[in-house]
Amino acid sequence: MSEVSSVILDPVAATSPDSSALTASFTQADGGVLRFITAGSVDDGKSTLIGRLLFDSKGVFADQLDAIARAKYKRTEGDAPDLALLTDGLEAEREQGITIDVAYRYFATPKRKFIVADAPGHEQYTRNMVTGASTADAAIILIDATRAADGTLLTQTKRHSAIARLLGIRHIIVAVNKMDLLDWDRDTFERIHAAYAELARRLDIPAFHVLPLSALKGDNVVTRSARTPWYEGPTLLNLLEALPVEAQARQRPLRLPVQWVIRHGGSSVADFRGYAGLVSSGTLNVGDAVQVQPSGVEAVVQAIYLGSEVRQQAQAGDAVTVVLDRDVDVSRGDLLVHTQAPAQVERAFEADLCWLDTQALNPARRYLLKHGSRVTSVKVKAVLSRRDIHELTEVASDEPLKTNEIGRVSLAVRDPLPLDDYAVNPGNGAFILIDEASNQTAAAGMVRLG
């Protein structure tokens, strides 16, 4: 087994320390909301799996079931509902039997609420997968056991795993699907398990959980299957309910991008000036000393409003209006930070780009960079390297990035930007590139500092 196996949660070996620790954690429900994405190659069963989760957790209304039962694109036999139709809502998706756009669905159990994104598997729509994964706490990587029976993983399995790692998704669940078509063969499952362990080692994925299931039949999705007596781990839903969702954003330094300057009262003595925005990370209290970046001007928080409600504190995820103790120059696109923990102001930096546009990166073209609520022009100075998705290595290359390619670039921006390394603070380390001519989103970027 590869060196990463020491931290992989092994569902088969019931005597392993990791397995017992995982089982113990299932007795404690963390609650809250878990955002997760399903990813993998075409026809791995992602939409069917989400439909099964919704169906078996009683998250589907009777009229929805009636609608998919009468659908002309139904692909199941007899009275069995085609659960994939619960997420494949576009006419083209139902007609072709593929997922094109990211579909978001919501369901809940007594232990937790869930927001799930069903991502397309086609390489052509990798950019949609990046969009869905950017806000996910966990990723379910599906593998079709019939196509990976010899332990050879498909390219999209590798690509989506690499993207999940690049985006810093902490919880990776590998769902070996369609095991019913292989008569629940344990040896096949073990080969796929070992193959993904090697992939995890090469991608530096620290830990993952793997389980055998059948999305179509429901085995090990919500209820445990009697067909896998050799599997002693949790069902998929049990695992999703137990994953810890730590309030990491609140523990990071304060980052509040200003989206709107609110003024009313004219020239009266009691005129109002507030700065509205969504707290990206950290905690803000009345009386805190803050700095406006990139200007560096300092002030003290005089009041915090959540709507019309007066608050003493705001946390990551709160949309608030902040009033400062004195009039300072604060505009849309500025960043409020604690004076003792500012962001790094840069005009030139390196970043990883997931290239999304159908037109390749062209350093001669004019691009805009949108970071938080600030938009500025940007120059792609150089392509430094690209990730070889087949060899899973980063290779030096100055060739322009093409659709769905991932690479490291050097950027220079017109206006100074207050930045964090994406690995340290994703909310303030993410940006997008926009083609100024077509107004198309060209790339999703992750800042890499130092």
Side-chain angles (χ1 to χ4, degrees), residues 301-336:
V301 176
Q302 179 176 297
I304 300 173
Y305 296 90
L306 184 64
S308 59
E309 179 184 352
V310 179
R311 288 288 188 91
Q312 291 299 307
Q313 184 183 81
Q315 297 181 328
D318 290 340
V320 297
T321 300
V322 176
V323 178
L324 302 179
D325 67 332
R326 63 193 186 94
D327 291 339
V328 296
D329 183 8
V330 183
S331 303
R332 173 180 167 81
D334 287 342
L335 186 72
L336 296 183

Side-chain angles (χ1 to χ4, degrees), residues 258-330:
V258 176
Q259 299 176 358
W260 186 28
V261 178
I262 302 174
R263 291 290 311 275
H264 63 77
S267 58
S268 68
V269 176
D271 68 335
F272 181 88
R273 177 183 294 182
Y275 310 103
L278 180 72
V279 182
S280 171
S281 63
T283 302
L284 180 66
N285 296 281
V286 173
D288 284 355
V290 295
Q291 183 181 127
V292 182
Q293 291 193 296
S295 69
V297 175
E298 298 182 1
V300 174
V301 176
Q302 179 176 297
I304 300 173
Y305 296 90
L306 184 64
S308 59
E309 179 184 352
V310 179
R311 288 288 188 91
Q312 291 299 307
Q313 184 183 81
Q315 297 181 328
D318 290 340
V320 297
T321 300
V322 176
V323 178
L324 302 179
D325 67 332
R326 63 193 186 94
D327 291 339
V328 296
D329 183 8
V330 183

Side-chain angles (χ1 to χ4, degrees), residues 117-281:
D118 180 21
H122 283 69
E123 180 179 352
Q124 178 183 353
Y125 302 117
T126 298
R127 57 186 179 273
N128 295 355
M129 182 270 173
V130 174
T131 301
S134 63
T135 57
D137 302 306
I140 301 176
I141 307 292
L142 274 86
I143 297 176
D144 182 343
T146 64
R147 294 192 288 175
D150 62 351
T152 302
L153 301 179
L154 299 178
T155 299
Q156 278 299 79
T157 302
K158 298 176 183 178
R159 179 178 282 108
H160 285 185
S161 297
I163 291 172
R165 175 58 179 154
L166 192 67
L167 292 174
I169 296 178
R170 297 177 58 248
H171 303 295
I172 304 293
I173 301 169
V174 181
V176 183
N177 192 24
K178 304 185 183 181
M179 285 294 295
D180 54 310
L181 300 180
L182 297 175
D183 199 26
W184 301 97
D185 182 57
R186 178 174 181 173
D187 290 339
T188 299
F189 175 77
E190 293 288 3
R191 281 194 296 273
I192 296 173
H193 186 176
Y196 199 88
E198 173 60 18
L199 175 64
R201 183 189 67 79
R202 297 177 69 180
L203 292 177
D204 195 28
I205 296 175
F208 68 88
H209 186 86
V210 59
L211 72 161
L213 55 79
S214 170
L216 185 64
K217 304 294 185 181
D219 297 84
N220 292 331
V221 178
V222 173
T223 57
R224 179 173 298 283
S225 174
R227 300 178 180 87
T228 54
W230 42 267
Y231 172 73
E232 300 186 12
T235 66
L236 178 61
L237 183 60
N238 289 154
L239 183 57
L240 292 172
E241 288 178 330
L243 290 178
V245 181
E246 301 172 1
Q248 289 191 339
R250 297 179 183 179
Q251 299 164 4
R252 298 184 180 112
L254 171 70
R255 302 291 184 260
L256 199 170
V258 176
Q259 299 176 358
W260 186 28
V261 178
I262 302 174
R263 291 290 311 275
H264 63 77
S267 58
S268 68
V269 176
D271 68 335
F272 181 88
R273 177 183 294 182
Y275 310 103
L278 180 72
V279 182
S280 171
S281 63

Side-chain angles (χ1 to χ4, degrees), residues 8 24 54 58 80 86 90 105 110 115 144 156 170 176 179 182 189 205 221 281 352 371 408-410:
I8 291 175
L54 294 172
K58 313 301 181 187
L86 290 172
L90 298 177
R105 294 294 181 268
I115 302 174
D144 182 343
Q156 278 299 79
R170 297 177 58 248
V176 183
M179 285 294 295
L182 297 175
F189 175 77
I205 296 175
V221 178
S281 63
D352 287 325
H371 172 255
R408 179 71 59 90
V409 300
S410 175

Side-chain angles (χ1 to χ4, degrees), residues 30 36 40 112 124 139 179 216 292 335 360-361 387 423-424 434 450:
D30 292 324
F36 69 93
R112 170 171 280 169
Q124 178 183 353
M179 285 294 295
L216 185 64
V292 182
L335 186 72
L361 168 63
R387 183 176 292 275
V424 177
I434 302 168

Side-chain angles (χ1 to χ4, degrees), residues 37 100-102 104 119-134 156 159-160 163 167 354-359 402-406 432 440-444:
I37 186 172
I100 296 174
D101 200 2
V102 180
Y104 293 92
H122 283 69
E123 180 179 352
Q124 178 183 353
Y125 302 117
T126 298
R127 57 186 179 273
N128 295 355
M129 182 270 173
V130 174
T131 301
S134 63
Q156 278 299 79
R159 179 178 282 108
H160 285 185
I163 291 172
L167 292 174
C354 294
W355 196 256
L356 309 178
D357 202 352
T358 53
Q359 293 200 31
K402 299 178 182 178
T403 307
N404 297 324
E405 290 188 334
I406 302 170
I432 61 172
Q440 293 287 329
T441 300

